Amino acid sequence: MNRSNDDSQGRDSPSDHETDLESLFESSDHSRSVSESDSDPETVTDGGVSPQQSLFETTADIERTRTDRYRRLFDEYVMAPGRILWNDWRAKFGFFLSSLFVITGLISWISTSRWWIFSEVTIVQQTFADDGEVLVGPFDSTYMTTYYGIPVWEHPLGTDGMGRDVFNQLVHATPAMLEMMFAGAIFSIVLATFWGVFSGYKGGSVDGFMMAVADVVMTIPGLPLVVVLAAIIEPTSPWVIGIILVVNAWAGFARSLRSEVLKLRRESYVEASRTIGISMPAIVTKDVLPNVMPLIVVNFVTTARNVIMASVGLYFLGLLPHTGLNWGVMMDNAYGQGAIYTTSMFHWFYAPMVTIVLLSLGLLLLGQGLDRIFNPRIRARHSESTSDEESTEEPADDVSVADQQQQGGL
């Protein structure tokens, strides 16, 4: 009898089990609601967002006005390159030399222009045969004149075998050289960029066909091709001559650029852009081209230097038609008169040579400086807006690391 009473007291009835389960579920729901309300519903431990929030509904923690965005863009694309240019002596010296030649070209253009008010302005006169004494030496004090009361040399760099002023020839040959340089560099780089980027990004049969064409162009010998084209076309415009000089030089750079694009197209941010449906032109212009821009700029300057060297060499060898003033033509004429062996003619031969070396050096140093300017990481380091954000984040990380070390007793 007692045993039956104990069993009846220790054994729960079915109604008691249901009551306990209901209370257990209620307590678990309450604890879950409390834990969700205490934790951040927008973030999870892996740095993403919680399933309750869509990626497209995520909003930035920092709100920027339009003025802040413009200031940030101006700082990143104008001020930061200026700081890099100012802090790098190679960039400064290269920019100075290159700007000097551009200014010289403008002076020549203004002096020979018949447009608007420039028709009455002559800064450096054109020189012709028998304008002065033959083979006057550089900085000869015998030939002096006054300019606004200031004594200056009539022929600072002397005259050539026909009495033409060497300095005036150098000045008035500059525009044609610059036009030739820009035409060749722009043609080669634009074509190589389009060919390499499109081929590398599209891939497949398009890539195979375009690279086969580039390989065929690369196998054509450059010098014979230029000589044949110059003989057939007989170009007189510096722009046409510049394009002929680099008619097959684009293929090598296109293949190099295609290799870089093949690596970039597999990057996570490029694949993400493709996944969400961004068009190919937008991906190429915003994700691919900025990352290969340092390579493009450096090759642009290198191609410009190659055009100058090739044109001077071909003019010196007489393989291009003599259609106007040119540094290579000056050297060819001086060499033909024996200037390389006669001391009284050294200035005639070496003045254009030094000019070519200075322009080449300026382009070389400018290319190295532009490589740093167009490098996104270096530009971001010199950007105040980016460095401000980094400066606000880095101390916090340093402090937290230091606190952890102190807490760990390290």
Side-chain angles (χ1 to χ4, degrees):
M1 183 67 181
N2 293 332
R3 185 175 179 181
S4 62
N5 291 334
D6 294 339
D7 294 339
S8 63
Q9 291 177 357
R11 188 181 301 166
D12 296 332
S13 64
S15 60
D16 293 338
H17 278 290
E18 293 177 357
T19 305
D20 293 340
L21 289 175
E22 290 177 356
S23 60
L24 181 61
F25 283 123
E26 289 177 357
S27 61
S28 63
D29 292 339
H30 176 70
S31 60
R32 183 182 303 171
S33 62
V34 171
S35 61
E36 290 179 353
S37 61
D38 293 339
S39 62
D40 187 4
E42 298 180 352
T43 57
V44 292
T45 55
D46 61 351
V49 295
S50 61
Q52 290 80 7
Q53 185 182 16
S54 172
L55 289 172
F56 298 98
E57 296 174 354
T58 304
T59 57
D61 296 333
I62 302 174
E63 293 184 359
R64 296 184 186 277
T65 62
R66 180 174 297 179
T67 304
D68 293 336
R69 290 197 295 270
Y70 288 154
R71 185 183 63 82
R72 182 184 177 89
L73 291 175
F74 181 77
D75 179 67
E76 183 177 358
Y77 291 100
V78 178
M79 297 303 294
R83 295 188 193 97
I84 297 173
L85 186 67
W86 184 253
N87 293 324
D88 191 301
W89 70 269
R90 296 169 301 181
K92 278 192 292 189
F93 194 62
F95 182 77
F96 170 75
L97 283 179
S98 303
S99 301
L100 188 64
F101 280 95
V102 173
I103 293 172
T104 304
L106 287 176
I107 290 175
S108 173
W109 179 77
I110 292 173
S111 301
T112 58
S113 177
R114 297 292 179 268
W115 180 68
W116 201 34
I117 60 173
F118 298 129
S119 59
E120 304 297 331
V121 178
T122 302
I123 302 175
V124 177
Q125 292 183 347
Q126 289 183 291
T127 183
F128 302 97
D130 299 329
D131 277 352
E133 296 291 335
V134 175
L135 295 179
V136 175
F139 306 109
D140 192 341
S141 59
T142 306
Y143 301 91
M144 300 288 291
T145 186
T146 56
Y147 188 74
Y148 290 102
I150 301 174
V152 294
W153 291 281
E154 292 184 9
H155 309 290
L157 299 180
T159 60
D160 62 5
M162 291 182 287
R164 296 178 298 185
D165 189 276
V166 174
F167 176 76
N168 289 14
Q169 291 184 71
L170 293 178
V171 171
H172 288 289
T174 303
M177 301 300 295
L178 295 180
E179 291 173 3
M180 197 181 306
M181 182 180 69
F182 281 112
I186 290 174
F187 171 79
S188 177
I189 295 303
V190 169
L191 184 57
T193 301
F194 168 77
W195 208 265
V197 171
F198 188 77
S199 172
Y201 188 81
K202 289 295 291 184
S205 58
V206 176
D207 179 32
F209 172 75
M210 295 181 74
M211 285 300 103
V213 174
D215 291 339
V216 171
V217 174
M218 289 172 63
T219 57
I220 301 175
L223 181 59
L225 179 63
V226 171
V227 173
V228 170
L229 290 177
I232 295 174
I233 301 175
E234 296 182 355
T236 57
S237 171
W239 297 91
V240 178
I241 296 175
I243 293 175
I244 290 176
L245 292 176
V246 295
V247 67
N248 68 334
W250 59 271
F253 179 55
R255 179 163 277 284
S256 302
L257 200 58
R258 175 245 186 193
S259 301
E260 294 294 326
V261 176
L262 283 178
K263 292 188 292 185
L264 289 173
R265 70 189 299 269
R266 294 185 178 87
E267 294 290 338
S268 58
Y269 57 90
V270 178
E271 292 183 351
S273 299
R274 281 199 300 266
T275 303
I276 62 178
I278 297 179
S279 62
M280 189 189 78
I283 295 175
V284 170
T285 54
K286 293 182 180 179
D287 294 337
V288 177
L289 279 180
N291 288 283
V292 296
M293 190 55 70
L295 189 63
I296 293 174
V297 172
V298 171
N299 275 274
F300 180 86
V301 178
T302 303
T303 305
R305 287 181 60 243
N306 294 336
V307 169
I308 293 295
M309 294 298 181
S311 65
V312 171
L314 294 176
Y315 274 116
F316 180 74
L317 296 175
L319 298 178
L320 288 177
H322 295 185
T323 55
L325 290 175
N326 188 282
W327 300 333
V329 175
M330 292 176 64
M331 294 177 63
D332 186 25
N333 293 334
Y335 181 78
Q337 297 294 323
I340 195 171
Y341 309 110
T342 309
T343 55
S344 60
M345 296 183 183
F346 277 178
H347 64 280
W348 186 9
F349 182 81
Y350 289 105
M353 179 180 289
V354 172
T355 305
I356 295 167
V357 171
L358 288 177
L359 178 57
S360 178
L361 178 64
L363 292 175
L364 178 65
L365 296 177
L366 181 64
Q368 295 178 358
L370 290 177
D371 182 23
R372 292 172 53 80
I373 289 174
F374 281 91
N375 192 315
R377 287 174 293 183
I378 297 178
R379 194 171 63 240
R381 195 185 311 158
H382 287 77
S383 176
E384 288 185 350
S385 57
T386 307
S387 61
D388 290 344
E389 292 179 357
E390 291 178 353
S391 63
T392 57
E393 295 175 357
E394 288 178 356
D397 294 336
D398 294 340
V399 171
S400 61
V401 171
D403 292 342
Q404 291 176 1
Q405 291 178 350
Q406 289 178 359
Q407 292 174 1
L410 299 176

